[in-house]
Amino acid sequence: MRTHATCYDDLRQYIASVPIIDCHDHSWGPGGPYKDPLHVVLNGYFPSDVYSVAGPSLCAQIQDATKPWEERWKLFEPVWKLCRHTGYAQCVRRALKLWYDEDEVTLESLKRIESRLPDYGDDALVDSALERAGIVKRIVDGVPLDWIENAINGKPGLCPRAVFTIGLPFWHDIRCAEDIQQRARMARMAVTNLDEYLAAARKCFEVLKSKGGVTFKDQSAYKRAIDYGNPSKSEAETVFNRIISDHRKALGYPDELRPLDDYLFHQFLRMAREMDLPVQVHTGHMAGNWNDVRKANAALMQPVFELHQEVRFDLFHANWPYSGDVLFLAKNYPNVTINFCWANIIDPIYTQQMMKQSVSCVPHGKIHGYGSDLAPILEHVLAHVEIMRDNVAIALSQLVEEEWFGLDDAKEIAEAWLFSNPNRFFRLGL
Ligand SMILES: [Zn+2]
Protein backbone atom coordinates (compact mmCIF):
# COMPACT_ATOMS: atom_id res chain seq x y z
CA MET A 1 0.00 0.00 0.00
CA ARG A 2 1.13 3.55 -0.71
CA THR A 3 2.31 5.72 2.12
CA HIS A 4 0.01 8.65 2.84
CA ALA A 5 2.60 11.16 1.71
CA THR A 6 3.06 9.53 -1.69
CA CYS A 7 -0.65 9.22 -2.34
CA TYR A 8 -1.30 12.79 -1.26
CA ASP A 9 1.59 14.11 -3.33
CA ASP A 10 0.49 12.23 -6.46
CA LEU A 11 -3.04 13.46 -6.13
CA ARG A 12 -2.06 17.02 -5.22
CA GLN A 13 0.17 17.18 -8.28
CA TYR A 14 -2.62 15.91 -10.51
CA ILE A 15 -5.15 18.38 -9.07
CA ALA A 16 -2.80 21.25 -9.87
CA SER A 17 -3.12 20.29 -13.55
CA VAL A 18 -6.95 20.24 -13.62
CA PRO A 19 -8.54 23.34 -15.19
CA ILE A 20 -10.82 25.11 -12.73
CA ILE A 21 -14.26 26.54 -13.28
CA ASP A 22 -14.72 29.22 -10.64
CA CYS A 23 -18.38 28.65 -9.75
CA HIS A 24 -18.91 31.95 -7.93
CA ASP A 25 -16.93 35.16 -7.93
CA HIS A 26 -17.42 38.92 -7.58
CA SER A 27 -14.64 40.18 -9.84
CA TRP A 28 -16.76 42.57 -11.80
CA GLY A 29 -14.63 45.25 -13.43
CA PRO A 30 -11.12 46.25 -12.42
CA GLY A 31 -9.95 45.88 -8.85
CA GLY A 32 -8.01 48.12 -6.50
CA PRO A 33 -6.16 50.29 -6.38
CA TYR A 34 -4.37 49.34 -3.19
CA LYS A 35 -3.96 52.20 -0.77
CA ASP A 36 -0.97 50.66 1.03
CA PRO A 37 0.58 47.22 1.77
CA LEU A 38 -1.57 46.67 4.88
CA HIS A 39 -4.53 46.86 2.53
CA VAL A 40 -3.32 43.61 0.91
CA VAL A 41 -3.59 41.89 4.30
CA LEU A 42 -6.82 43.54 5.40
CA ASN A 43 -8.68 42.45 2.31
CA GLY A 44 -10.98 39.69 1.15
CA TYR A 45 -12.70 38.06 4.11
CA PHE A 46 -9.91 38.31 6.68
CA PRO A 47 -11.18 41.64 8.14
CA SER A 48 -14.17 39.69 9.54
CA ASP A 49 -11.82 37.67 11.73
CA VAL A 50 -9.96 40.83 12.77
CA TYR A 51 -13.31 42.35 13.71
CA SER A 52 -14.32 39.18 15.53
CA VAL A 53 -11.27 39.18 17.80
CA ALA A 54 -10.54 42.94 18.06
CA GLY A 55 -14.08 44.32 18.14
CA PRO A 56 -15.57 47.18 16.11
CA SER A 57 -13.64 50.11 17.56
CA LEU A 58 -10.11 48.72 17.27
CA CYS A 59 -10.91 47.15 13.91
CA ALA A 60 -12.06 50.53 12.57
CA GLN A 61 -8.81 52.15 13.75
CA ILE A 62 -6.75 49.41 12.10
CA GLN A 63 -8.62 49.92 8.82
CA ASP A 64 -8.61 53.72 8.88
CA ALA A 65 -6.71 54.41 5.67
CA THR A 66 -6.48 58.14 6.42
CA LYS A 67 -3.75 57.26 8.97
CA PRO A 68 -0.25 56.12 7.90
CA TRP A 69 -0.18 52.34 7.55
CA GLU A 70 2.98 51.96 9.66
CA GLU A 71 1.11 53.59 12.55
CA ARG A 72 -1.84 51.21 12.11
CA TRP A 73 0.55 48.25 11.93
CA LYS A 74 1.34 48.83 15.63
CA LEU A 75 -2.35 48.31 16.40
CA PHE A 76 -2.68 45.38 14.04
CA GLU A 77 0.38 43.33 15.00
CA PRO A 78 -0.93 42.09 18.38
CA VAL A 79 -4.33 41.35 16.78
CA TRP A 80 -2.68 39.36 13.96
CA LYS A 81 -1.10 37.14 16.60
CA LEU A 82 -4.59 36.28 17.88
CA CYS A 83 -6.17 35.34 14.54
CA ARG A 84 -3.38 34.21 12.22
CA HIS A 85 -4.42 30.54 12.09
CA THR A 86 -7.95 30.77 10.66
CA GLY A 87 -8.78 29.78 7.08
CA TYR A 88 -8.99 33.46 6.12
CA ALA A 89 -5.59 34.15 7.69
CA GLN A 90 -4.16 31.18 5.81
CA CYS A 91 -5.44 32.83 2.66
CA VAL A 92 -3.58 36.05 3.55
CA ARG A 93 -0.33 34.24 4.36
CA ARG A 94 -0.44 32.24 1.14
CA ALA A 95 -1.29 35.36 -0.86
CA LEU A 96 1.86 37.03 0.46
CA LYS A 97 3.92 33.94 -0.32
CA LEU A 98 2.55 33.31 -3.80
CA TRP A 99 2.48 36.86 -5.10
CA TYR A 100 5.31 38.57 -3.21
CA ASP A 101 7.40 35.61 -2.02
CA GLU A 102 7.09 36.70 1.61
CA ASP A 103 6.86 34.02 4.31
CA GLU A 104 5.35 36.05 7.10
CA VAL A 105 3.19 39.08 7.77
CA THR A 106 5.69 41.46 9.38
CA LEU A 107 6.48 45.16 9.21
CA GLU A 108 9.59 44.36 7.17
CA SER A 109 7.75 42.14 4.66
CA LEU A 110 5.04 44.77 4.18
CA LYS A 111 7.70 47.44 3.58
CA ARG A 112 9.20 45.23 0.88
CA ILE A 113 5.89 44.72 -0.95
CA GLU A 114 4.96 48.41 -0.77
CA SER A 115 6.60 49.21 -4.10
CA ARG A 116 5.19 46.07 -5.79
CA LEU A 117 1.45 46.55 -5.38
CA PRO A 118 -0.34 45.41 -8.55
CA ASP A 119 -2.68 47.42 -10.76
CA TYR A 120 -5.74 45.28 -11.37
CA GLY A 121 -7.06 47.76 -13.90
CA ASP A 122 -4.73 45.97 -16.33
CA ASP A 123 -6.76 43.22 -18.04
CA ALA A 124 -3.58 41.46 -19.24
CA LEU A 125 -2.36 41.17 -15.64
CA VAL A 126 -5.75 39.83 -14.54
CA ASP A 127 -5.75 37.29 -17.34
CA SER A 128 -2.21 36.09 -16.59
CA ALA A 129 -3.04 35.72 -12.89
CA LEU A 130 -6.12 33.63 -13.77
CA GLU A 131 -3.95 31.54 -16.08
CA ARG A 132 -1.51 30.98 -13.23
CA ALA A 133 -4.36 29.99 -10.92
CA GLY A 134 -5.70 27.55 -13.53
CA ILE A 135 -9.09 29.27 -13.73
CA VAL A 136 -10.47 28.84 -17.24
CA LYS A 137 -13.89 30.35 -16.62
CA ARG A 138 -15.54 32.21 -13.77
CA ILE A 139 -19.18 32.79 -13.02
CA VAL A 140 -19.26 36.37 -11.88
CA ASP A 141 -21.97 37.65 -9.57
CA GLY A 142 -23.05 41.18 -8.73
CA VAL A 143 -23.54 42.60 -12.20
CA PRO A 144 -23.91 46.38 -11.73
CA LEU A 145 -27.21 48.00 -12.66
CA ASP A 146 -25.68 50.33 -15.23
CA TRP A 147 -24.11 47.34 -16.95
CA ILE A 148 -27.50 45.62 -17.10
CA GLU A 149 -29.04 48.74 -18.60
CA ASN A 150 -26.25 48.90 -21.17
CA ALA A 151 -26.76 45.22 -21.92
CA ILE A 152 -30.43 45.79 -22.59
CA ASN A 153 -29.75 48.81 -24.78
CA GLY A 154 -26.39 48.06 -26.35
CA LYS A 155 -23.19 46.10 -26.18
CA PRO A 156 -21.44 45.87 -22.80
CA GLY A 157 -17.95 44.62 -22.06
CA LEU A 158 -17.10 41.71 -19.78
CA CYS A 159 -14.11 41.15 -17.52
CA PRO A 160 -11.65 38.39 -18.59
CA ARG A 161 -12.84 34.75 -18.65
CA ALA A 162 -16.28 35.68 -17.34
CA VAL A 163 -19.85 34.61 -17.71
CA PHE A 164 -22.29 35.97 -15.17
CA THR A 165 -25.26 35.46 -12.89
CA ILE A 166 -28.67 37.06 -13.16
CA GLY A 167 -29.54 38.38 -9.70
CA LEU A 168 -33.02 37.61 -8.40
CA PRO A 169 -33.40 39.57 -5.11
CA PHE A 170 -33.39 42.84 -7.04
CA TRP A 171 -36.58 41.66 -8.76
CA HIS A 172 -38.54 40.17 -5.85
CA ASP A 173 -37.41 42.36 -2.94
CA ILE A 174 -39.48 45.36 -4.01
CA ARG A 175 -40.82 47.69 -1.37
CA CYS A 176 -42.36 50.76 -3.02
CA ALA A 177 -43.67 52.18 -6.30
CA GLU A 178 -40.27 53.63 -7.20
CA ASP A 179 -38.69 50.16 -6.92
CA ILE A 180 -41.23 48.91 -9.45
CA GLN A 181 -40.79 51.87 -11.80
CA GLN A 182 -36.98 51.61 -11.68
CA ARG A 183 -37.21 48.04 -12.95
CA ALA A 184 -39.86 49.04 -15.52
CA ARG A 185 -37.54 51.73 -16.91
CA MET A 186 -34.78 49.17 -17.15
CA ALA A 187 -37.00 46.96 -19.30
CA ARG A 188 -38.33 50.01 -21.19
CA MET A 189 -41.86 48.82 -20.48
CA ALA A 190 -44.87 50.38 -18.83
CA VAL A 191 -45.77 48.55 -15.62
CA THR A 192 -49.15 49.13 -13.99
CA ASN A 193 -49.97 45.70 -12.58
CA LEU A 194 -48.36 42.48 -11.43
CA ASP A 195 -48.60 40.75 -14.82
CA GLU A 196 -46.85 43.64 -16.54
CA TYR A 197 -44.17 43.59 -13.86
CA LEU A 198 -43.52 39.90 -14.46
CA ALA A 199 -43.32 40.53 -18.21
CA ALA A 200 -40.74 43.30 -17.63
CA ALA A 201 -38.64 40.98 -15.46
CA ARG A 202 -38.84 38.21 -18.03
CA LYS A 203 -37.73 40.56 -20.79
CA CYS A 204 -34.63 41.58 -18.81
CA PHE A 205 -33.81 37.97 -17.93
CA GLU A 206 -33.99 36.95 -21.60
CA VAL A 207 -31.66 39.76 -22.65
CA LEU A 208 -29.18 38.95 -19.88
CA LYS A 209 -29.19 35.28 -20.81
CA SER A 210 -28.41 36.22 -24.42
CA LYS A 211 -25.43 38.35 -23.23
CA GLY A 212 -23.74 35.61 -21.17
CA GLY A 213 -25.97 34.99 -18.15
CA VAL A 214 -25.61 31.30 -17.29
CA THR A 215 -27.53 31.05 -14.02
CA PHE A 216 -29.86 32.90 -11.71
CA LYS A 217 -28.51 33.80 -8.28
CA ASP A 218 -30.32 34.58 -5.04
CA GLN A 219 -28.69 35.87 -1.87
CA SER A 220 -31.87 36.84 0.02
CA ALA A 221 -30.59 34.89 3.03
CA TYR A 222 -28.59 37.97 4.02
CA LYS A 223 -31.84 39.78 4.78
CA ARG A 224 -34.59 37.26 5.37
CA ALA A 225 -35.16 33.63 6.28
CA ILE A 226 -35.25 31.49 3.14
CA ASP A 227 -38.37 29.67 4.29
CA TYR A 228 -40.43 30.80 1.29
CA GLY A 229 -44.17 30.33 1.61
CA ASN A 230 -46.41 29.62 -1.35
CA PRO A 231 -48.91 32.51 -1.40
CA SER A 232 -51.65 32.84 -4.00
CA LYS A 233 -51.50 35.31 -6.85
CA SER A 234 -54.32 37.33 -5.32
CA GLU A 235 -52.41 37.72 -2.04
CA ALA A 236 -49.39 38.97 -3.97
CA GLU A 237 -51.53 41.25 -6.13
CA THR A 238 -53.08 42.83 -3.07
CA VAL A 239 -49.62 43.86 -1.85
CA PHE A 240 -48.45 44.92 -5.31
CA ASN A 241 -51.54 47.07 -5.88
CA ARG A 242 -51.18 48.74 -2.49
CA ILE A 243 -47.63 49.75 -3.34
CA ILE A 244 -48.17 50.87 -6.90
CA SER A 245 -51.38 52.79 -6.29
CA ASP A 246 -49.62 55.32 -4.05
CA HIS A 247 -46.00 56.22 -4.70
CA ARG A 248 -45.70 57.72 -1.22
CA LYS A 249 -46.43 54.40 0.44
CA ALA A 250 -43.78 51.98 1.73
CA LEU A 251 -44.84 48.71 3.32
CA GLY A 252 -43.10 47.07 6.27
CA TYR A 253 -40.22 44.73 5.50
CA PRO A 254 -40.33 41.78 5.56
CA ASP A 255 -43.72 40.85 7.03
CA GLU A 256 -46.09 43.08 5.03
CA LEU A 257 -44.22 42.48 1.78
CA ARG A 258 -43.77 38.79 2.19
CA PRO A 259 -46.74 37.53 0.10
CA LEU A 260 -45.42 39.52 -2.87
CA ASP A 261 -41.77 38.64 -2.24
CA ASP A 262 -42.52 34.92 -1.96
CA TYR A 263 -44.91 34.86 -4.92
CA LEU A 264 -42.40 36.60 -7.20
CA PHE A 265 -39.65 34.21 -6.11
CA HIS A 266 -41.78 31.24 -7.17
CA GLN A 267 -42.67 32.92 -10.46
CA PHE A 268 -38.98 33.50 -11.20
CA LEU A 269 -38.25 29.85 -10.46
CA ARG A 270 -40.87 28.97 -13.11
CA MET A 271 -39.01 31.28 -15.50
CA ALA A 272 -35.74 29.54 -14.62
CA ARG A 273 -37.37 26.25 -15.58
CA GLU A 274 -38.66 27.62 -18.87
CA MET A 275 -35.36 29.32 -19.70
CA ASP A 276 -33.34 26.24 -18.69
CA LEU A 277 -31.15 28.22 -16.28
CA PRO A 278 -30.04 26.89 -12.88
CA VAL A 279 -30.59 28.87 -9.68
CA GLN A 280 -27.65 29.47 -7.33
CA VAL A 281 -28.75 30.09 -3.76
CA HIS A 282 -26.76 31.67 -0.96
CA THR A 283 -26.99 29.24 1.95
CA GLY A 284 -24.95 29.08 5.15
CA HIS A 285 -22.45 31.60 6.44
CA MET A 286 -22.74 35.27 5.45
CA ALA A 287 -20.00 37.83 4.83
CA GLY A 288 -19.38 40.38 7.57
CA ASN A 289 -20.33 40.03 11.22
CA TRP A 290 -23.48 40.18 13.34
CA ASN A 291 -25.74 38.24 10.97
CA ASP A 292 -27.96 35.26 11.92
CA VAL A 293 -26.95 32.09 10.08
CA ARG A 294 -30.06 30.16 11.14
CA LYS A 295 -32.16 31.97 8.55
CA ALA A 296 -29.70 30.91 5.82
CA ASN A 297 -29.81 27.15 6.41
CA ALA A 298 -30.61 25.39 3.12
CA ALA A 299 -32.95 23.05 5.02
CA LEU A 300 -35.47 25.91 5.17
CA MET A 301 -35.89 25.69 1.40
CA GLN A 302 -36.85 22.03 1.32
CA PRO A 303 -40.49 22.74 0.29
CA VAL A 304 -39.18 24.84 -2.62
CA PHE A 305 -37.00 21.98 -3.87
CA GLU A 306 -39.95 19.61 -3.66
CA LEU A 307 -42.29 21.96 -5.53
CA HIS A 308 -39.91 23.02 -8.31
CA GLN A 309 -38.63 19.62 -9.30
CA GLU A 310 -37.50 20.74 -12.74
CA VAL A 311 -35.43 23.67 -11.51
CA ARG A 312 -31.74 22.96 -10.85
CA PHE A 313 -30.59 24.43 -7.53
CA ASP A 314 -26.92 24.99 -6.69
CA LEU A 315 -26.51 25.52 -2.93
CA PHE A 316 -23.61 27.70 -1.84
CA HIS A 317 -20.87 27.70 0.77
CA ALA A 318 -21.41 24.03 1.66
CA ASN A 319 -24.21 25.43 3.84
CA TRP A 320 -21.61 26.13 6.55
CA PRO A 321 -21.99 25.15 9.38
CA TYR A 322 -24.93 22.83 8.55
CA SER A 323 -23.16 20.13 6.53
CA GLY A 324 -25.58 17.33 7.48
CA ASP A 325 -28.57 19.27 6.18
CA VAL A 326 -27.09 19.98 2.77
CA LEU A 327 -25.72 16.44 2.39
CA PHE A 328 -29.26 15.19 2.94
CA LEU A 329 -30.70 17.65 0.42
CA ALA A 330 -28.19 16.75 -2.30
CA LYS A 331 -28.54 13.04 -1.64
CA ASN A 332 -32.32 13.12 -1.62
CA TYR A 333 -33.27 15.62 -4.30
CA PRO A 334 -32.15 15.18 -7.91
CA ASN A 335 -32.50 18.94 -8.45
CA VAL A 336 -29.98 19.95 -5.74
CA THR A 337 -26.19 20.27 -6.08
CA ILE A 338 -23.59 21.38 -3.51
CA ASN A 339 -21.24 24.27 -4.25
CA PHE A 340 -18.10 24.64 -2.10
CA CYS A 341 -17.53 28.25 -3.13
CA TRP A 342 -15.98 30.27 -0.29
CA ALA A 343 -16.29 27.28 2.10
CA ASN A 344 -12.73 26.28 1.24
CA ILE A 345 -11.44 29.27 3.24
CA ILE A 346 -14.34 29.88 5.65
CA ASP A 347 -13.36 26.59 7.24
CA PRO A 348 -10.81 24.37 5.45
CA ILE A 349 -11.17 21.48 7.91
CA TYR A 350 -14.98 21.48 7.64
CA THR A 351 -14.54 21.46 3.87
CA GLN A 352 -12.08 18.56 3.91
CA GLN A 353 -14.34 16.51 6.17
CA MET A 354 -17.51 17.32 4.24
CA MET A 355 -15.87 16.63 0.87
CA LYS A 356 -14.75 13.27 2.19
CA GLN A 357 -18.15 12.48 3.66
CA SER A 358 -19.94 13.57 0.48
CA VAL A 359 -18.18 10.82 -1.47
CA SER A 360 -19.87 8.16 0.64
CA CYS A 361 -23.38 9.61 0.44
CA VAL A 362 -23.81 12.05 -2.48
CA PRO A 363 -23.13 11.11 -6.12
CA HIS A 364 -19.85 12.84 -6.97
CA GLY A 365 -21.45 14.25 -10.11
CA LYS A 366 -23.39 16.68 -7.90
CA ILE A 367 -20.49 18.57 -6.35
CA HIS A 368 -18.99 21.89 -7.49
CA GLY A 369 -15.63 22.16 -5.78
CA TYR A 370 -14.52 25.75 -6.13
CA GLY A 371 -15.68 29.36 -6.15
CA SER A 372 -13.45 32.33 -5.24
CA ASP A 373 -16.29 34.51 -3.95
CA LEU A 374 -13.84 37.43 -3.98
CA ALA A 375 -13.68 40.91 -5.42
CA PRO A 376 -10.81 41.32 -7.89
CA ILE A 377 -7.90 40.74 -5.52
CA LEU A 378 -5.87 38.18 -7.37
CA GLU A 379 -3.35 37.39 -4.62
CA HIS A 380 -6.26 36.13 -2.54
CA VAL A 381 -7.75 34.22 -5.49
CA LEU A 382 -4.41 32.45 -6.09
CA ALA A 383 -4.18 31.60 -2.40
CA HIS A 384 -7.80 30.44 -2.26
CA VAL A 385 -7.23 28.11 -5.23
CA GLU A 386 -4.17 26.59 -3.54
CA ILE A 387 -6.06 26.01 -0.27
CA MET A 388 -8.91 24.39 -2.21
CA ARG A 389 -6.45 22.08 -4.00
CA ASP A 390 -5.05 21.05 -0.61
CA ASN A 391 -8.56 20.43 0.74
CA VAL A 392 -9.56 18.23 -2.21
CA ALA A 393 -6.26 16.32 -2.06
CA ILE A 394 -6.53 15.75 1.70
CA ALA A 395 -10.14 14.56 1.49
CA LEU A 396 -9.65 12.22 -1.45
CA SER A 397 -6.20 10.88 -0.49
CA GLN A 398 -7.59 9.85 2.89
CA LEU A 399 -10.22 7.80 1.08
CA VAL A 400 -7.53 6.16 -1.04
CA GLU A 401 -5.59 5.37 2.14
CA GLU A 402 -8.70 3.83 3.65
CA GLU A 403 -9.16 1.78 0.46
CA TRP A 404 -12.55 3.29 -0.34
CA PHE A 405 -11.29 3.50 -3.92
CA GLY A 406 -8.08 3.72 -5.92
CA LEU A 407 -5.93 6.72 -6.82
CA ASP A 408 -7.37 6.85 -10.36
CA ASP A 409 -10.88 7.09 -8.92
CA ALA A 410 -9.75 9.95 -6.69
CA LYS A 411 -8.34 11.76 -9.72
CA GLU A 412 -11.54 11.24 -11.67
CA ILE A 413 -13.58 12.73 -8.80
CA ALA A 414 -11.28 15.72 -8.40
CA GLU A 415 -11.56 16.48 -12.12
CA ALA A 416 -15.35 16.19 -11.94
CA TRP A 417 -15.63 18.48 -8.93
CA LEU A 418 -13.43 21.20 -10.40
CA PHE A 419 -14.28 21.09 -14.09
CA SER A 420 -16.64 18.52 -15.62
CA ASN A 421 -19.53 18.92 -13.19
CA PRO A 422 -19.83 22.73 -13.42
CA ASN A 423 -19.12 22.64 -17.15
CA ARG A 424 -22.11 20.36 -17.63
CA PHE A 425 -24.36 21.93 -14.99
CA PHE A 426 -23.96 25.51 -16.21
CA ARG A 427 -23.93 24.43 -19.90
CA LEU A 428 -20.61 26.21 -20.43
CA GLY A 429 -19.62 24.03 -23.38
CA LEU A 430 -15.89 24.12 -22.54
ZN1 LIG B 1 -20.70 35.75 -3.07
Side-chain angles (χ1 to χ4, degrees), residues 24-26 45 141 217 222 282 316-317 341-342 373-374:
H24 175 58
D25 191 40
H26 293 277
Y45 293 104
D141 187 25
K217 159 79 194 303
Y222 274 92
H282 180 108
F316 273 16
H317 313 319
C341 61
W342 190 24
D373 211 347
L374 286 162

Side-chain angles (χ1 to χ4, degrees), residues 60-339:
Q61 292 175 59
I62 290 169
Q63 291 194 285
D64 179 4
T66 63
K67 302 272 163 49
W69 73 267
E70 294 93 335
E71 221 171 84
R72 291 182 287 128
W73 167 260
K74 290 177 199 150
L75 300 174
F76 174 65
E77 189 179 19
V79 174
W80 168 249
K81 288 182 175 152
L82 300 177
C83 58
R84 65 196 171 96
H85 295 298
T86 64
Y88 294 161
Q90 282 288 335
C91 196
V92 169
R93 293 153 80 112
R94 295 232 197 168
L96 256 61
K97 181 65 187 167
L98 290 163
W99 197 278
Y100 306 99
D101 199 25
E102 294 290 350
D103 292 315
E104 266 304 330
V105 180
T106 63
L107 182 63
E108 289 67 38
S109 67
L110 293 183
K111 279 180 179 166
R112 281 190 294 271
I113 73 172
E114 188 167 16
S115 61
R116 301 170 56 202
L117 298 174
D119 170 16
Y120 293 142
D122 178 359
D123 269 0
L125 175 72
V126 173
D127 199 64
S128 69
L130 293 173
E131 182 71 26
R132 185 177 164 201
I135 294 173
V136 291
K137 192 64 84 182
R138 35 185 195 161
I139 300 174
V140 178
D141 187 25
V143 184
L145 286 186
D146 58 349
W147 190 92
I148 296 176
E149 286 185 292
N150 289 338
I152 290 165
N153 303 315
K155 192 166 168 257
L158 272 172
C159 43
R161 304 186 185 210
V163 288
F164 62 91
T165 67
I166 303 171
L168 283 180
F170 177 73
W171 294 94
H172 62 87
D173 177 9
I174 50 173
R175 306 183 187 192
C176 59
E178 174 50 26
D179 284 352
I180 296 168
Q181 295 312 335
Q182 181 197 23
R183 287 133 184 91
R185 285 193 295 275
M186 197 172 269
R188 295 192 166 182
M189 286 169 70
V191 170
T192 63
N193 63 27
L194 184 55
D195 287 334
E196 288 176 354
Y197 181 77
L198 287 165
R202 177 67 181 250
K203 178 183 172 186
C204 290
F205 297 160
E206 297 279 2
V207 172
L208 291 171
K209 183 184 178 190
S210 75
K211 302 286 182 185
V214 297
T215 177
F216 287 106
K217 159 79 194 303
D218 201 286
Q219 65 277 15
S220 300
Y222 274 92
K223 290 183 178 170
R224 55 160 288 175
I226 52 177
D227 57 341
Y228 292 94
N230 193 11
S232 65
K233 184 176 183 183
S234 77
E235 288 174 275
E237 252 173 342
T238 301
V239 177
F240 189 93
N241 290 343
R242 279 181 69 196
I243 296 173
I244 203 163
S245 62
D246 182 347
H247 67 86
R248 290 161 295 272
K249 191 174 281 171
L251 298 188
Y253 178 84
D255 296 338
E256 282 188 284
L257 288 157
R258 199 165 161 131
L260 177 61
D261 193 346
D262 290 10
Y263 175 80
L264 288 172
F265 183 70
H266 283 287
Q267 286 300 107
F268 297 150
L269 295 183
R270 292 178 184 108
M271 291 183 198
R273 180 191 67 208
E274 289 159 13
M275 293 170 70
D276 190 27
L277 287 176
V279 179
Q280 295 188 315
V281 184
H282 180 108
T283 62
H285 190 52
M286 292 150 292
N289 300 77
W290 298 111
N291 215 327
D292 181 355
V293 75
R294 292 171 300 179
K295 71 188 188 318
N297 184 350
L300 295 171
M301 274 184 70
Q302 184 170 337
V304 173
F305 306 141
E306 292 197 348
L307 178 62
H308 296 278
Q309 294 185 7
E310 284 167 34
V311 177
R312 294 172 290 135
F313 296 94
D314 185 40
L315 305 184
F316 273 16
H317 313 319
N319 202 37
W320 191 94
Y322 305 112
S323 60
D325 285 334
V326 78
L327 288 169
F328 161 74
L329 293 169
K331 181 175 183 62
N332 190 45
Y333 296 111
N335 55 343
V336 170
T337 55
I338 296 173
N339 189 326

Side-chain angles (χ1 to χ4, degrees), residues 17-32:
S17 73
V18 175
I20 295 168
I21 293 171
D22 183 338
C23 294
H24 175 58
D25 191 40
H26 293 277
S27 295
W28 197 269

